[in-house]
Amino acid sequence: MCGIIGYIGKKHNVTDVLITGLKALEYRGYDSVGIALWNEDMFKLIKSAGKISHLEDKIRKEGNMTSQMGIGHTRWATHGEPNDTNSHPHRVGNVTLVHNGIIENYQELKEELIKKGYHFASDTDTEVIASLLDDIKKNKENYLEILQELTTRLRGSYALGIVFDQDKNHLYALRKDSPLILGIGDKENFIASDIPAIIPYTKQYILLEAGEIARLSEDGIDLFDTSLKPISKKIQQVNWTMEQAEKGGYSHFMLKEIMEEERVLKDTILPFVKDKETLLSKMPDLKKYDQVHIVACGSAMHAGLVGKYLIETYANIPVTVEVASEYRYKKNFYTDHTLVILVSQSGETADTIAALRLAKESKVDTLAIVNVYGSTIARESDQVLYIYAGPEIAVATTKAYTLQVAMLSLVALTMAINHKQMKEEEITMLLEAFQNLPEILGGLLEKQESYFEIAKMLDGSEDVFFLGRGVDYALAMEGSLKLKEISYIHSEAYQAGELKHGTISLIEKNTPVIALVTDEKLAEKTISNIKEVKARGAKVILVTLESLDRDYDFCDQKIVLPVVPPFVQPILVMPPLQLLSFEVARRRGCDIDKPRNLAKSVTVE
Ligand code: AGP
């Protein structure tokens, strides 16, 4: 998704601040980039398709300019192809701005403005916003009133950084649905789409809420509500360090983030699992719910599938898991005892936000499981359970997925206790299992070289199948997505018992099949299915438990997991598959941290 950075002040070189910030936002995915700079007498606008390095080349050619304010933007194309003209900042008259989001009524606004004599150089909705502001400004002088009127005209999502040439002492910002934070410095202030962009300069920030307007000067930040009444807001403190947001010596962010899983699992679950009283005091009261909807996208939805299995199996409560982009348009069935759980690493995924708002319109209780503090989904849900993955920079989620599964496991345990579905001794045993889990996971991660060795078996593969039954199928879906999104190998996950109903026709000599058998109750059945594909020439990587490990003749490679109580076993399955996928992608020379076409947070529909 697009990235925004803005700076006002004289303590740092403005161009350096903008470029540093844009590089910190690269993980959001982009295909063009630009900056605008102001000083007392001059204005400079430099834009480029492609990477930030191309923009830096252009800046060098243009020659640096001492400035006191600037805005920058990495664009992930939504309207119009990635090129210099469509990239931001956009300037109309003496209004210049950067935008993250989608204006749903931009076409009608554009037609209205064309009738007023405006011409458009780009295909973007953003240029329409700049033109609209220029038009509003003709009848108003107060910039806050101009921005207030703008908010009444726009429909859709936006985070905006705006500069009016006649007011070079201020940088304006406002948002609705797209993320934007305000960094607070000493004689300098910032706007940014995300925290990593400002960490080198300040760890103090404010979360701008929808409809609020911010006016930044080098001396401070003034905030106004939708009626332009001055407001004050809590100053947040970043609890990340720069090195946490850097690679920490690893070759890729993704590898660093996988190797952090032991620590972040500890950070996330240990505060809950000291004993039953602690768990129940920290978890929401889930007694009243007799049905659960889990709504999310991508990997977060796959985590939801594991949550469904655990809640249904151990709490005896029915659960539906829906992809948010479907949930928001389908008929949903609620009772007074329905709980909708939204799972989202970024807390800014547009479809998941829409699903959350739909549930709230239906007066249904909502619980969010998110990683980013103060994100939209966290702030708008009735209750929130944070995972503590820290910054997840690689576009492909790893540690956040693992923690989403872990947090959903704690929700399932809490529901089982609330609904009296579990004996005291089982509760005690499981809490102890949770306490021991991070160290066991750490032991798995130490075997990374063995998973890297297995990855060689997938050299040259163009199609890979993942098989599993029950919770293993839910895990197979994430294993398959992880492989394909970073290695670009086509892959699909299949219910083991379903393969023979058609798809087995695709199995031929040397077709790689990764088979998950971690549920002892279903092992025999799934092994029969594995033998079916083996008989047709497949190369099989078996993922199983030490307790199920035999000298099988149907697998070519094995990943053997330590045995823990079945309730917590799913948490251990994905990290080895994440490392396997990482190595496959590395061997294929892929851009692992920033896979083509992907964005870290899909803040548009
Ligand atoms: C990235 O690896 C995931 N594959 C992607 O599907 C992600 O899980 C999805 O976009 C949801 O993002 P969120 O968790 O930030 O809402």
Side-chain angles (χ1 to χ4, degrees):
M1 286 304 93
C2 302
I4 289 175
I5 180 74
Y7 176 79
I8 187 164
K10 300 187 183 73
K11 276 180 75 174
H12 289 94
N13 176 291
V14 180
T15 306
D16 292 348
V17 172
L18 299 183
I19 295 298
T20 303
L22 292 175
K23 285 178 176 174
L25 297 172
E26 280 190 295
Y27 73 88
R28 298 166 67 84
Y30 73 105
D31 37 47
S32 59
V33 59
I35 63 170
L37 302 164
W38 286 265
N39 63 24
E40 280 311 318
D41 319 309
M42 282 176 69
F43 163 77
K44 197 182 275 282
L45 178 61
I46 310 168
K47 309 200 282 187
S48 172
K51 296 297 184 189
I52 292 171
S53 55
H54 299 148
L55 178 71
E56 290 181 292
D57 292 343
K58 284 195 170 183
I59 291 168
R60 271 190 288 278
K61 287 196 188 88
E62 294 252 345
N64 206 346
M65 171 179 118
T66 308
S67 35
Q68 77 232 11
M69 176 167 57
I71 51 179
H73 185 271
T74 49
R75 178 174 180 254
W76 191 72
T78 52
H79 296 77
E81 65 180 57
N83 59 30
D84 291 16
T85 309
N86 286 333
S87 53
H88 305 200
H90 282 278
R91 180 174 174 85
V92 175
N94 43 41
V95 177
T96 312
L97 57 81
V98 289
H99 167 225
N100 175 17
I102 285 190
I103 301 306
E104 292 173 359
N105 63 329
Y106 89 97
Q107 203 56 54
E108 63 191 78
L109 291 170
K110 189 169 184 174
E111 285 156 17
E112 177 194 314
L113 289 160
I114 287 170
K115 286 188 187 126
K116 291 186 173 182
Y118 283 89
H119 300 284
F120 292 88
S122 79
D123 311 313
T124 67
D125 55 349
T126 306
E127 190 183 8
V128 171
I129 303 175
S131 304
L132 182 56
L133 269 175
D134 183 67
D135 186 45
I136 296 169
K137 207 161 71 59
K138 287 173 182 161
N139 305 311
K140 281 183 166 49
E141 287 184 3
N142 179 300
Y143 292 111
L144 293 172
E145 289 173 7
I146 292 167
L147 295 174
Q148 184 186 42
E149 180 171 340
L150 178 74
T151 61
T152 67
R153 304 294 313 278
L154 298 180
R155 257 202 343 267
S157 58
Y158 53 85
L160 295 168
I162 301 167
V163 174
F164 299 98
D165 280 7
Q166 297 94 329
D167 183 10
K168 287 180 184 173
N169 295 320
H170 292 114
L171 168 57
Y172 291 89
L174 61 158
R175 66 173 285 262
K176 175 178 169 292
D177 295 346
S178 293
L180 197 66
I181 61 170
L182 309 174
I184 304 165
D186 172 17
K187 302 293 284 174
E188 59 182 6
N189 289 294
F190 308 76
I191 62 172
S193 296
D194 198 356
I195 289 170
I198 62 169
I199 287 184
Y201 306 100
T202 178
K203 292 194 172 182
Q204 294 199 316
Y205 67 100
I206 290 172
L207 289 166
L208 198 58
E209 306 274 353
E212 293 171 348
I213 296 172
R215 182 177 63 196
L216 288 76
S217 68
E218 69 177 277
D219 299 319
I221 298 176
D222 301 318
L223 294 166
F224 305 88
D225 67 13
T226 44
S227 58
L228 299 186
K229 188 161 65 65
I231 54 176
S232 61
K233 293 175 73 76
K234 182 166 177 273
I235 295 178
Q236 314 282 350
Q237 182 74 21
V238 179
N239 55 12
W240 301 341
T241 57
M242 215 22 222
E243 53 279 359
Q244 273 188 304
E246 292 301 328
K247 290 181 191 166
Y250 288 97
S251 61
H252 295 79
F253 279 113
M254 182 171 170
L255 183 57
K256 167 177 175 277
E257 288 155 10
I258 295 169
M259 299 311 287
E260 288 175 338
E261 288 183 332
E262 175 183 359
R263 176 178 57 78
V264 297
L265 182 62
K266 207 175 284 181
D267 293 350
T268 298
I269 65 171
L270 289 195
F272 287 91
V273 296
K274 179 168 162 293
D275 52 43
K276 186 177 90 168
E277 291 64 35
T278 303
L279 176 72
L280 296 180
S281 68
K282 285 177 173 290
M283 292 295 282
D285 182 341
L286 303 171
K287 290 191 195 69
K288 70 179 267 196
Y289 304 112
D290 63 9
Q291 66 163 282
V292 173
H293 297 178
I294 299 176
V295 188
C297 299
S299 298
M301 186 275 283
H302 297 156
L305 292 172
V306 179
K308 166 186 169 72
Y309 169 80
L310 293 171
I311 295 169
E312 289 185 340
T313 305
Y314 293 95
N316 202 27
I317 301 282
V319 181
T320 60
V321 179
E322 299 275 0
V323 170
S325 54
E326 294 294 318
Y327 188 82
R328 63 185 294 193
Y329 296 114
K330 70 182 275 289
K331 178 159 182 54
N332 296 302
F333 299 90
Y334 303 116
T335 71
D336 292 342
H337 304 284
T338 301
L339 173 66
V340 176
I341 300 177
L342 296 309
V343 185
S344 176
Q345 186 282 130
S346 63
E348 299 297 348
T349 298
D351 287 320
T352 311
I353 291 172
L356 163 61
R357 290 175 178 166
L358 184 75
K360 292 186 73 174
E361 281 162 20
S362 309
K363 306 279 183 279
V364 178
D365 291 356
T366 55
L367 166 65
I369 295 177
V370 298
N371 185 42
V372 177
Y373 179 78
S375 56
T376 301
I377 293 171
R379 283 183 286 115
E380 296 189 12
S381 295
D382 298 317
Q383 304 199 72
V384 56
L385 287 169
Y386 282 108
I387 61 173
Y388 293 93
E392 189 175 68
I393 307 301
V395 167
T397 184
T398 51
K399 59 179 179 174
Y401 166 85
T402 297
L403 297 186
Q404 288 165 351
V405 172
M407 188 53 77
L408 283 161
S409 306
L410 292 180
V411 167
L413 179 56
T414 304
M415 291 197 101
I417 297 169
N418 285 170
H419 291 265
K420 304 190 184 335
Q421 299 293 309
M422 210 177 259
K423 294 190 177 67
E424 287 303 319
E425 56 270 23
E426 188 178 3
I427 297 167
T428 306
M429 179 274 289
L430 285 178
L431 290 171
E432 195 176 325
F434 275 110
Q435 291 163 16
N436 299 330
L437 205 61
E439 192 178 341
I440 295 170
L441 174 52
L444 272 183
L445 297 175
E446 284 168 9
K447 296 179 181 173
Q448 61 176 282
E449 288 308 323
S450 65
Y451 311 136
F452 290 176
E453 190 58 30
I454 293 172
K456 294 175 183 172
M457 196 179 112
L458 299 182
D459 281 357
S461 300
E462 290 312 316
D463 293 286
V464 177
F465 291 86
F466 284 72
L467 298 186
R469 274 179 196 272
V471 73
D472 279 332
Y473 172 57
L475 294 161
M477 286 182 71
E478 175 58 13
S480 173
L481 178 59
K482 206 50 56 206
L483 177 68
K484 63 185 151 187
E485 68 179 330
I486 62 173
S487 73
Y488 311 148
I489 295 174
H490 171 259
S491 168
E492 53 187 303
Y494 242 84
Q495 295 97 332
E498 189 60 15
L499 201 65
K500 56 182 167 301
H501 297 281
T503 303
I504 199 166
S505 65
L506 297 179
I507 302 295
E508 55 190 354
K509 184 160 176 46
N510 291 332
T511 301
V513 172
I514 299 176
L516 279 62
V517 183
T518 70
D519 181 339
E520 297 202 354
K521 298 187 305 304
L522 300 172
E524 195 181 318
K525 298 284 183 199
T526 307
I527 286 171
S528 304
N529 302 133
I530 299 169
K531 287 176 179 174
E532 289 160 6
V533 297
K534 186 65 187 168
R536 286 154 180 85
K539 289 190 298 187
V540 176
I541 298 172
L542 175 66
V543 181
T544 192
L545 305 181
E546 285 164 356
S547 57
L548 295 170
D549 188 16
R550 309 281 185 279
D551 187 16
Y552 296 119
D553 61 359
F554 57 74
C555 63
D556 301 85
Q557 294 281 1
K558 276 191 287 194
I559 293 175
V560 182
L561 304 172
V563 178
V564 293
F567 191 102
V568 297
Q569 190 76 60
I571 298 169
L572 295 181
V573 178
M574 207 46 57
L577 292 177
Q578 292 164 351
L579 288 167
L580 179 71
S581 296
F582 170 84
E583 180 63 5
V584 171
R586 191 192 65 78
R587 291 174 65 83
R588 290 168 65 95
C590 295
D591 188 354
I592 295 171
D593 286 338
K594 298 193 287 295
R596 66 187 179 203
N597 309 336
L598 289 185
K600 182 63 182 172
S601 174
V602 184
T603 57
V604 293
E605 278 199 44

